[in-house]
Amino acid sequence: MALAEAGARGRLLLWPRVVLFGDSITEFSFQEDGWGAYLAERLVRKCDVVNRGFSGYNTRWAKLILPRLIPESDSAENTVAVTIFFGANDSALKDLNPKQHVPLEEYAANLKAMVQYLKSVGITEDRIILITPPPLQESAWEKQCLAKGQRLNRRNATTGEYAQACARVAQDCGTDVLDLWTLMQRKQDFSSYLSDGLHLSREGNSFVAAQLWSRLDKKLSALPSLLPYWREVDHTQPEASLL
């Protein structure tokens, strides 16, 4: 059978997708033992896990590019979950990092605007998960700053204010929320979750993966596997199984 004929006979296969939208903590999530890679492995043959992480970005910039990443023309039914994971850069101290800093009220407004945009293109609030920034381990991050000739440009208490704002937006908008800032600090020495005081370590990635999966599993457990297991394919007439 010619490929063109096979394509005409078979139904177009559209993989559902989970979109991970965020800053460097999302961008790096497909590295070895990353939380995004974990999700992709768990969901293989059920849906695509799409990494849309942008190192250094804040919500001011994210709000502008979201319609280009998930346009209105996309099938909303095909997007089964979206994570929005910003705040680590927004919460940078204004006087020491004005390029990335976003004021607290604007940060909350930007998150709300992104949720409202997704809802406007048919992605309902039950498919959206807001993720707060993780806590900042100041002494470790200060070493990173000093190595670049800079002063400590973030504070954990400030990051916590942004985390609380993120949680409030989730409550107001009716979305789920993963409050990493609070959950990680339940461990007395949360520094093991962080590789440099800001970004996730291997243990931190494992923690985020487990926490996020506990939320996504409920949303995605009913997704069927796409195409039959190889033992179920009729090898004498494979088109009967595959088209």
Side-chain angles (χ1 to χ4, degrees), residues 121-154:
V121 299
I123 300 173
T124 52
E125 59 267 26
D126 61 301
R127 285 182 274 167
I128 302 169
I129 301 175
L130 298 187
I131 307 177
T132 78
L136 180 78
Q137 213 287 317
E138 293 181 9
S139 60
W141 184 244
E142 186 173 26
K143 291 179 182 178
Q144 301 294 317
C145 294
L146 292 174
K148 299 175 183 178
Q150 303 169 355
R151 293 162 52 196
L152 178 64
N153 57 19
R154 289 164 169 81

PDB file of all heavy atoms in Angstrom, residues 121-154:
ATOM      1  N   VAL A 121      -9.344  30.968  24.975  1.00  0.00           N
ATOM      2  CA  VAL A 121      -9.143  30.110  23.802  1.00  0.00           C
ATOM      3  C   VAL A 121      -9.611  28.683  24.080  1.00  0.00           C
ATOM      4  O   VAL A 121      -9.292  27.756  23.331  1.00  0.00           O
ATOM      5  CB  VAL A 121      -7.666  30.123  23.335  1.00  0.00           C
ATOM      6  CG1 VAL A 121      -7.251  31.522  22.930  1.00  0.00           C
ATOM      7  CG2 VAL A 121      -6.719  29.564  24.401  1.00  0.00           C
ATOM      8  N   GLY A 122     -10.367  28.501  25.163  1.00  0.00           N
ATOM      9  CA  GLY A 122     -11.027  27.230  25.410  1.00  0.00           C
ATOM     10  C   GLY A 122     -10.305  26.270  26.323  1.00  0.00           C
ATOM     11  O   GLY A 122     -10.725  25.117  26.480  1.00  0.00           O
ATOM     12  N   ILE A 123      -9.209  26.714  26.953  1.00  0.00           N
ATOM     13  CA  ILE A 123      -8.496  25.862  27.908  1.00  0.00           C
ATOM     14  C   ILE A 123      -9.031  26.192  29.298  1.00  0.00           C
ATOM     15  O   ILE A 123      -8.716  27.235  29.868  1.00  0.00           O
ATOM     16  CB  ILE A 123      -6.976  26.076  27.818  1.00  0.00           C
ATOM     17  CG1 ILE A 123      -6.486  25.726  26.408  1.00  0.00           C
ATOM     18  CG2 ILE A 123      -6.236  25.233  28.864  1.00  0.00           C
ATOM     19  CD1 ILE A 123      -5.032  26.064  26.151  1.00  0.00           C
ATOM     20  N   THR A 124      -9.842  25.341  29.816  1.00  0.00           N
ATOM     21  CA  THR A 124     -10.571  25.626  31.052  1.00  0.00           C
ATOM     22  C   THR A 124      -9.648  25.599  32.269  1.00  0.00           C
ATOM     23  O   THR A 124      -8.572  25.011  32.240  1.00  0.00           O
ATOM     24  CB  THR A 124     -11.706  24.606  31.240  1.00  0.00           C
ATOM     25  OG1 THR A 124     -11.168  23.283  31.127  1.00  0.00           O
ATOM     26  CG2 THR A 124     -12.780  24.794  30.176  1.00  0.00           C
ATOM     27  N   GLU A 125     -10.114  26.236  33.342  1.00  0.00           N
ATOM     28  CA  GLU A 125      -9.276  26.398  34.532  1.00  0.00           C
ATOM     29  C   GLU A 125      -8.848  25.068  35.153  1.00  0.00           C
ATOM     30  O   GLU A 125      -7.798  24.987  35.788  1.00  0.00           O
ATOM     31  CB  GLU A 125      -9.978  27.265  35.582  1.00  0.00           C
ATOM     32  CG  GLU A 125     -11.307  26.741  36.066  1.00  0.00           C
ATOM     33  CD  GLU A 125     -12.477  27.311  35.278  1.00  0.00           C
ATOM     34  OE1 GLU A 125     -12.289  27.698  34.104  1.00  0.00           O
ATOM     35  OE2 GLU A 125     -13.590  27.357  35.844  1.00  0.00           O
ATOM     36  N   ASP A 126      -9.639  24.017  34.961  1.00  0.00           N
ATOM     37  CA  ASP A 126      -9.267  22.724  35.532  1.00  0.00           C
ATOM     38  C   ASP A 126      -8.081  22.089  34.818  1.00  0.00           C
ATOM     39  O   ASP A 126      -7.523  21.093  35.290  1.00  0.00           O
ATOM     40  CB  ASP A 126     -10.462  21.760  35.516  1.00  0.00           C
ATOM     41  CG  ASP A 126     -10.962  21.499  34.106  1.00  0.00           C
ATOM     42  OD1 ASP A 126     -11.351  22.468  33.427  1.00  0.00           O
ATOM     43  OD2 ASP A 126     -10.977  20.331  33.678  1.00  0.00           O
ATOM     44  N   ARG A 127      -7.687  22.664  33.682  1.00  0.00           N
ATOM     45  CA  ARG A 127      -6.513  22.157  32.952  1.00  0.00           C
ATOM     46  C   ARG A 127      -5.277  23.042  33.170  1.00  0.00           C
ATOM     47  O   ARG A 127      -4.240  22.824  32.532  1.00  0.00           O
ATOM     48  CB  ARG A 127      -6.828  22.066  31.458  1.00  0.00           C
ATOM     49  CG  ARG A 127      -7.727  20.902  31.102  1.00  0.00           C
ATOM     50  CD  ARG A 127      -7.971  20.823  29.605  1.00  0.00           C
ATOM     51  NE  ARG A 127      -9.089  21.656  29.202  1.00  0.00           N
ATOM     52  CZ  ARG A 127      -9.369  21.965  27.936  1.00  0.00           C
ATOM     53  NH1 ARG A 127      -8.603  21.538  26.955  1.00  0.00           N
ATOM     54  NH2 ARG A 127     -10.414  22.714  27.643  1.00  0.00           N
ATOM     55  N   ILE A 128      -5.362  24.014  34.063  1.00  0.00           N
ATOM     56  CA  ILE A 128      -4.274  24.964  34.292  1.00  0.00           C
ATOM     57  C   ILE A 128      -3.730  24.768  35.704  1.00  0.00           C
ATOM     58  O   ILE A 128      -4.502  24.679  36.663  1.00  0.00           O
ATOM     59  CB  ILE A 128      -4.758  26.414  34.115  1.00  0.00           C
ATOM     60  CG1 ILE A 128      -5.340  26.613  32.702  1.00  0.00           C
ATOM     61  CG2 ILE A 128      -3.624  27.406  34.360  1.00  0.00           C
ATOM     62  CD1 ILE A 128      -6.082  27.931  32.523  1.00  0.00           C
ATOM     63  N   ILE A 129      -2.418  24.700  35.814  1.00  0.00           N
ATOM     64  CA  ILE A 129      -1.762  24.586  37.118  1.00  0.00           C
ATOM     65  C   ILE A 129      -0.753  25.719  37.257  1.00  0.00           C
ATOM     66  O   ILE A 129       0.169  25.834  36.437  1.00  0.00           O
ATOM     67  CB  ILE A 129      -1.036  23.237  37.287  1.00  0.00           C
ATOM     68  CG1 ILE A 129      -2.012  22.067  37.132  1.00  0.00           C
ATOM     69  CG2 ILE A 129      -0.342  23.164  38.645  1.00  0.00           C
ATOM     70  CD1 ILE A 129      -1.333  20.705  37.166  1.00  0.00           C
ATOM     71  N   LEU A 130      -0.946  26.563  38.239  1.00  0.00           N
ATOM     72  CA  LEU A 130       0.048  27.590  38.550  1.00  0.00           C
ATOM     73  C   LEU A 130       1.072  26.993  39.515  1.00  0.00           C
ATOM     74  O   LEU A 130       0.709  26.269  40.446  1.00  0.00           O
ATOM     75  CB  LEU A 130      -0.609  28.816  39.182  1.00  0.00           C
ATOM     76  CG  LEU A 130      -1.630  29.579  38.337  1.00  0.00           C
ATOM     77  CD1 LEU A 130      -2.053  30.856  39.064  1.00  0.00           C
ATOM     78  CD2 LEU A 130      -1.080  29.918  36.965  1.00  0.00           C
ATOM     79  N   ILE A 131       2.339  27.303  39.294  1.00  0.00           N
ATOM     80  CA  ILE A 131       3.410  26.812  40.164  1.00  0.00           C
ATOM     81  C   ILE A 131       4.148  28.021  40.738  1.00  0.00           C
ATOM     82  O   ILE A 131       4.594  28.894  39.987  1.00  0.00           O
ATOM     83  CB  ILE A 131       4.389  25.905  39.403  1.00  0.00           C
ATOM     84  CG1 ILE A 131       3.639  24.774  38.689  1.00  0.00           C
ATOM     85  CG2 ILE A 131       5.436  25.342  40.354  1.00  0.00           C
ATOM     86  CD1 ILE A 131       4.527  23.875  37.846  1.00  0.00           C
ATOM     87  N   THR A 132       4.265  28.066  42.047  1.00  0.00           N
ATOM     88  CA  THR A 132       4.969  29.176  42.685  1.00  0.00           C
ATOM     89  C   THR A 132       6.472  28.988  42.532  1.00  0.00           C
ATOM     90  O   THR A 132       6.958  27.869  42.325  1.00  0.00           O
ATOM     91  CB  THR A 132       4.652  29.280  44.184  1.00  0.00           C
ATOM     92  OG1 THR A 132       5.402  28.279  44.891  1.00  0.00           O
ATOM     93  CG2 THR A 132       3.170  29.103  44.463  1.00  0.00           C
ATOM     94  N   PRO A 133       7.240  30.067  42.650  1.00  0.00           N
ATOM     95  CA  PRO A 133       8.693  29.880  42.672  1.00  0.00           C
ATOM     96  C   PRO A 133       9.096  29.055  43.885  1.00  0.00           C
ATOM     97  O   PRO A 133       8.435  29.108  44.928  1.00  0.00           O
ATOM     98  CB  PRO A 133       9.234  31.311  42.758  1.00  0.00           C
ATOM     99  CG  PRO A 133       8.110  32.110  43.345  1.00  0.00           C
ATOM    100  CD  PRO A 133       6.854  31.477  42.826  1.00  0.00           C
ATOM    101  N   PRO A 134      10.172  28.290  43.766  1.00  0.00           N
ATOM    102  CA  PRO A 134      10.675  27.559  44.940  1.00  0.00           C
ATOM    103  C   PRO A 134      11.335  28.530  45.908  1.00  0.00           C
ATOM    104  O   PRO A 134      11.610  29.687  45.552  1.00  0.00           O
ATOM    105  CB  PRO A 134      11.701  26.598  44.342  1.00  0.00           C
ATOM    106  CG  PRO A 134      12.179  27.271  43.102  1.00  0.00           C
ATOM    107  CD  PRO A 134      10.989  28.032  42.572  1.00  0.00           C
ATOM    108  N   PRO A 135      11.604  28.116  47.125  1.00  0.00           N
ATOM    109  CA  PRO A 135      12.310  28.992  48.052  1.00  0.00           C
ATOM    110  C   PRO A 135      13.730  29.261  47.562  1.00  0.00           C
ATOM    111  O   PRO A 135      14.292  28.494  46.780  1.00  0.00           O
ATOM    112  CB  PRO A 135      12.310  28.198  49.365  1.00  0.00           C
ATOM    113  CG  PRO A 135      12.183  26.768  48.942  1.00  0.00           C
ATOM    114  CD  PRO A 135      11.326  26.787  47.714  1.00  0.00           C
ATOM    115  N   LEU A 136      14.292  30.359  48.023  1.00  0.00           N
ATOM    116  CA  LEU A 136      15.661  30.740  47.677  1.00  0.00           C
ATOM    117  C   LEU A 136      16.587  30.420  48.845  1.00  0.00           C
ATOM    118  O   LEU A 136      16.312  30.823  49.981  1.00  0.00           O
ATOM    119  CB  LEU A 136      15.721  32.236  47.357  1.00  0.00           C
ATOM    120  CG  LEU A 136      17.105  32.767  46.979  1.00  0.00           C
ATOM    121  CD1 LEU A 136      17.436  32.394  45.536  1.00  0.00           C
ATOM    122  CD2 LEU A 136      17.174  34.283  47.173  1.00  0.00           C
ATOM    123  N   GLN A 137      17.650  29.697  48.576  1.00  0.00           N
ATOM    124  CA  GLN A 137      18.669  29.450  49.592  1.00  0.00           C
ATOM    125  C   GLN A 137      19.730  30.544  49.415  1.00  0.00           C
ATOM    126  O   GLN A 137      20.562  30.499  48.508  1.00  0.00           O
ATOM    127  CB  GLN A 137      19.267  28.055  49.414  1.00  0.00           C
ATOM    128  CG  GLN A 137      19.679  27.396  50.716  1.00  0.00           C
ATOM    129  CD  GLN A 137      20.933  28.035  51.302  1.00  0.00           C
ATOM    130  OE1 GLN A 137      21.880  28.315  50.586  1.00  0.00           O
ATOM    131  NE2 GLN A 137      20.931  28.271  52.607  1.00  0.00           N
ATOM    132  N   GLU A 138      19.645  31.569  50.261  1.00  0.00           N
ATOM    133  CA  GLU A 138      20.357  32.817  49.998  1.00  0.00           C
ATOM    134  C   GLU A 138      21.879  32.668  49.969  1.00  0.00           C
ATOM    135  O   GLU A 138      22.548  33.250  49.106  1.00  0.00           O
ATOM    136  CB  GLU A 138      19.946  33.879  51.018  1.00  0.00           C
ATOM    137  CG  GLU A 138      18.495  34.316  50.861  1.00  0.00           C
ATOM    138  CD  GLU A 138      18.104  35.394  51.859  1.00  0.00           C
ATOM    139  OE1 GLU A 138      18.999  35.926  52.554  1.00  0.00           O
ATOM    140  OE2 GLU A 138      16.895  35.694  51.958  1.00  0.00           O
ATOM    141  N   SER A 139      22.455  31.909  50.895  1.00  0.00           N
ATOM    142  CA  SER A 139      23.915  31.835  50.947  1.00  0.00           C
ATOM    143  C   SER A 139      24.484  31.188  49.690  1.00  0.00           C
ATOM    144  O   SER A 139      25.526  31.619  49.165  1.00  0.00           O
ATOM    145  CB  SER A 139      24.359  31.066  52.195  1.00  0.00           C
ATOM    146  OG  SER A 139      23.852  29.747  52.196  1.00  0.00           O
ATOM    147  N   ALA A 140      23.814  30.153  49.188  1.00  0.00           N
ATOM    148  CA  ALA A 140      24.284  29.498  47.966  1.00  0.00           C
ATOM    149  C   ALA A 140      24.128  30.410  46.756  1.00  0.00           C
ATOM    150  O   ALA A 140      25.022  30.492  45.903  1.00  0.00           O
ATOM    151  CB  ALA A 140      23.525  28.191  47.748  1.00  0.00           C
ATOM    152  N   TRP A 141      22.999  31.118  46.664  1.00  0.00           N
ATOM    153  CA  TRP A 141      22.800  32.006  45.528  1.00  0.00           C
ATOM    154  C   TRP A 141      23.731  33.215  45.608  1.00  0.00           C
ATOM    155  O   TRP A 141      24.193  33.716  44.578  1.00  0.00           O
ATOM    156  CB  TRP A 141      21.344  32.454  45.438  1.00  0.00           C
ATOM    157  CG  TRP A 141      21.074  33.304  44.223  1.00  0.00           C
ATOM    158  CD1 TRP A 141      20.696  34.603  44.193  1.00  0.00           C
ATOM    159  CD2 TRP A 141      21.179  32.884  42.856  1.00  0.00           C
ATOM    160  NE1 TRP A 141      20.566  35.035  42.893  1.00  0.00           N
ATOM    161  CE2 TRP A 141      20.854  33.990  42.049  1.00  0.00           C
ATOM    162  CE3 TRP A 141      21.531  31.681  42.237  1.00  0.00           C
ATOM    163  CZ2 TRP A 141      20.862  33.935  40.653  1.00  0.00           C
ATOM    164  CZ3 TRP A 141      21.544  31.624  40.851  1.00  0.00           C
ATOM    165  CH2 TRP A 141      21.210  32.745  40.075  1.00  0.00           C
ATOM    166  N   GLU A 142      24.046  33.651  46.810  1.00  0.00           N
ATOM    167  CA  GLU A 142      24.975  34.770  46.953  1.00  0.00           C
ATOM    168  C   GLU A 142      26.350  34.421  46.384  1.00  0.00           C
ATOM    169  O   GLU A 142      27.010  35.258  45.773  1.00  0.00           O
ATOM    170  CB  GLU A 142      25.107  35.179  48.421  1.00  0.00           C
ATOM    171  CG  GLU A 142      25.943  36.430  48.631  1.00  0.00           C
ATOM    172  CD  GLU A 142      25.925  36.913  50.071  1.00  0.00           C
ATOM    173  OE1 GLU A 142      25.701  36.088  50.974  1.00  0.00           O
ATOM    174  OE2 GLU A 142      26.117  38.132  50.291  1.00  0.00           O
ATOM    175  N   LYS A 143      26.771  33.181  46.550  1.00  0.00           N
ATOM    176  CA  LYS A 143      28.046  32.750  45.974  1.00  0.00           C
ATOM    177  C   LYS A 143      28.016  32.868  44.458  1.00  0.00           C
ATOM    178  O   LYS A 143      29.009  33.265  43.832  1.00  0.00           O
ATOM    179  CB  LYS A 143      28.348  31.306  46.383  1.00  0.00           C
ATOM    180  CG  LYS A 143      28.671  31.120  47.852  1.00  0.00           C
ATOM    181  CD  LYS A 143      28.923  29.656  48.170  1.00  0.00           C
ATOM    182  CE  LYS A 143      29.207  29.453  49.654  1.00  0.00           C
ATOM    183  NZ  LYS A 143      29.414  28.014  49.997  1.00  0.00           N
ATOM    184  N   GLN A 144      26.890  32.520  43.856  1.00  0.00           N
ATOM    185  CA  GLN A 144      26.753  32.650  42.412  1.00  0.00           C
ATOM    186  C   GLN A 144      26.836  34.116  41.990  1.00  0.00           C
ATOM    187  O   GLN A 144      27.477  34.448  40.979  1.00  0.00           O
ATOM    188  CB  GLN A 144      25.420  32.053  41.951  1.00  0.00           C
ATOM    189  CG  GLN A 144      25.231  30.583  42.276  1.00  0.00           C
ATOM    190  CD  GLN A 144      26.189  29.683  41.541  1.00  0.00           C
ATOM    191  OE1 GLN A 144      26.442  29.866  40.347  1.00  0.00           O
ATOM    192  NE2 GLN A 144      26.752  28.715  42.237  1.00  0.00           N
ATOM    193  N   CYS A 145      26.190  34.968  42.754  1.00  0.00           N
ATOM    194  CA  CYS A 145      26.206  36.403  42.438  1.00  0.00           C
ATOM    195  C   CYS A 145      27.615  36.980  42.591  1.00  0.00           C
ATOM    196  O   CYS A 145      28.095  37.720  41.712  1.00  0.00           O
ATOM    197  CB  CYS A 145      25.226  37.145  43.345  1.00  0.00           C
ATOM    198  SG  CYS A 145      23.495  36.716  43.089  1.00  0.00           S
ATOM    199  N   LEU A 146      28.294  36.645  43.683  1.00  0.00           N
ATOM    200  CA  LEU A 146      29.634  37.175  43.932  1.00  0.00           C
ATOM    201  C   LEU A 146      30.618  36.722  42.865  1.00  0.00           C
ATOM    202  O   LEU A 146      31.521  37.471  42.478  1.00  0.00           O
ATOM    203  CB  LEU A 146      30.109  36.732  45.321  1.00  0.00           C
ATOM    204  CG  LEU A 146      29.367  37.348  46.519  1.00  0.00           C
ATOM    205  CD1 LEU A 146      29.848  36.715  47.826  1.00  0.00           C
ATOM    206  CD2 LEU A 146      29.571  38.865  46.556  1.00  0.00           C
ATOM    207  N   ALA A 147      30.449  35.498  42.364  1.00  0.00           N
ATOM    208  CA  ALA A 147      31.326  34.997  41.310  1.00  0.00           C
ATOM    209  C   ALA A 147      31.202  35.814  40.027  1.00  0.00           C
ATOM    210  O   ALA A 147      32.118  35.837  39.202  1.00  0.00           O
ATOM    211  CB  ALA A 147      31.005  33.530  41.029  1.00  0.00           C
ATOM    212  N   LYS A 148      30.056  36.502  39.872  1.00  0.00           N
ATOM    213  CA  LYS A 148      29.835  37.359  38.704  1.00  0.00           C
ATOM    214  C   LYS A 148      30.072  38.827  39.035  1.00  0.00           C
ATOM    215  O   LYS A 148      29.751  39.711  38.237  1.00  0.00           O
ATOM    216  CB  LYS A 148      28.402  37.174  38.193  1.00  0.00           C
ATOM    217  CG  LYS A 148      28.092  35.751  37.751  1.00  0.00           C
ATOM    218  CD  LYS A 148      26.625  35.606  37.371  1.00  0.00           C
ATOM    219  CE  LYS A 148      26.292  34.166  37.004  1.00  0.00           C
ATOM    220  NZ  LYS A 148      24.860  34.000  36.690  1.00  0.00           N
ATOM    221  N   GLY A 149      30.625  39.084  40.231  1.00  0.00           N
ATOM    222  CA  GLY A 149      30.897  40.458  40.643  1.00  0.00           C
ATOM    223  C   GLY A 149      29.659  41.231  41.044  1.00  0.00           C
ATOM    224  O   GLY A 149      29.631  42.453  40.980  1.00  0.00           O
ATOM    225  N   GLN A 150      28.625  40.509  41.485  1.00  0.00           N
ATOM    226  CA  GLN A 150      27.358  41.136  41.851  1.00  0.00           C
ATOM    227  C   GLN A 150      27.048  40.871  43.312  1.00  0.00           C
ATOM    228  O   GLN A 150      27.631  39.984  43.941  1.00  0.00           O
ATOM    229  CB  GLN A 150      26.223  40.587  40.972  1.00  0.00           C
ATOM    230  CG  GLN A 150      26.435  40.763  39.487  1.00  0.00           C
ATOM    231  CD  GLN A 150      25.424  39.981  38.654  1.00  0.00           C
ATOM    232  OE1 GLN A 150      24.615  39.230  39.194  1.00  0.00           O
ATOM    233  NE2 GLN A 150      25.488  40.137  37.343  1.00  0.00           N
ATOM    234  N   ARG A 151      26.108  41.645  43.840  1.00  0.00           N
ATOM    235  CA  ARG A 151      25.613  41.414  45.190  1.00  0.00           C
ATOM    236  C   ARG A 151      24.401  40.476  45.127  1.00  0.00           C
ATOM    237  O   ARG A 151      23.822  40.255  44.063  1.00  0.00           O
ATOM    238  CB  ARG A 151      25.216  42.745  45.840  1.00  0.00           C
ATOM    239  CG  ARG A 151      26.381  43.683  46.116  1.00  0.00           C
ATOM    240  CD  ARG A 151      25.899  45.101  46.346  1.00  0.00           C
ATOM    241  NE  ARG A 151      24.853  45.180  47.370  1.00  0.00           N
ATOM    242  CZ  ARG A 151      24.053  46.245  47.547  1.00  0.00           C
ATOM    243  NH1 ARG A 151      24.173  47.304  46.755  1.00  0.00           N
ATOM    244  NH2 ARG A 151      23.149  46.233  48.509  1.00  0.00           N
ATOM    245  N   LEU A 152      24.045  39.924  46.280  1.00  0.00           N
ATOM    246  CA  LEU A 152      22.863  39.066  46.358  1.00  0.00           C
ATOM    247  C   LEU A 152      21.650  39.830  45.835  1.00  0.00           C
ATOM    248  O   LEU A 152      21.288  40.874  46.383  1.00  0.00           O
ATOM    249  CB  LEU A 152      22.629  38.626  47.803  1.00  0.00           C
ATOM    250  CG  LEU A 152      21.403  37.750  48.065  1.00  0.00           C
ATOM    251  CD1 LEU A 152      21.517  36.410  47.356  1.00  0.00           C
ATOM    252  CD2 LEU A 152      21.208  37.549  49.574  1.00  0.00           C
ATOM    253  N   ASN A 153      21.025  39.331  44.788  1.00  0.00           N
ATOM    254  CA  ASN A 153      19.971  40.092  44.107  1.00  0.00           C
ATOM    255  C   ASN A 153      18.568  39.514  44.306  1.00  0.00           C
ATOM    256  O   ASN A 153      17.626  39.903  43.632  1.00  0.00           O
ATOM    257  CB  ASN A 153      20.268  40.210  42.613  1.00  0.00           C
ATOM    258  CG  ASN A 153      20.425  38.866  41.923  1.00  0.00           C
ATOM    259  OD1 ASN A 153      19.989  37.834  42.440  1.00  0.00           O
ATOM    260  ND2 ASN A 153      21.056  38.860  40.750  1.00  0.00           N
ATOM    261  N   ARG A 154      18.436  38.572  45.246  1.00  0.00           N
ATOM    262  CA  ARG A 154      17.141  38.009  45.585  1.00  0.00           C
ATOM    263  C   ARG A 154      17.109  37.720  47.082  1.00  0.00           C
ATOM    264  O   ARG A 154      18.148  37.515  47.698  1.00  0.00           O
ATOM    265  CB  ARG A 154      16.879  36.704  44.803  1.00  0.00           C
ATOM    266  CG  ARG A 154      16.622  36.897  43.311  1.00  0.00           C
ATOM    267  CD  ARG A 154      16.760  35.563  42.585  1.00  0.00           C
ATOM    268  NE  ARG A 154      16.283  35.606  41.213  1.00  0.00           N
ATOM    269  CZ  ARG A 154      16.970  36.070  40.191  1.00  0.00           C
ATOM    270  NH1 ARG A 154      18.206  36.556  40.388  1.00  0.00           N
ATOM    271  NH2 ARG A 154      16.475  36.069  38.964  1.00  0.00           N
TER     272      ARG A 154
END
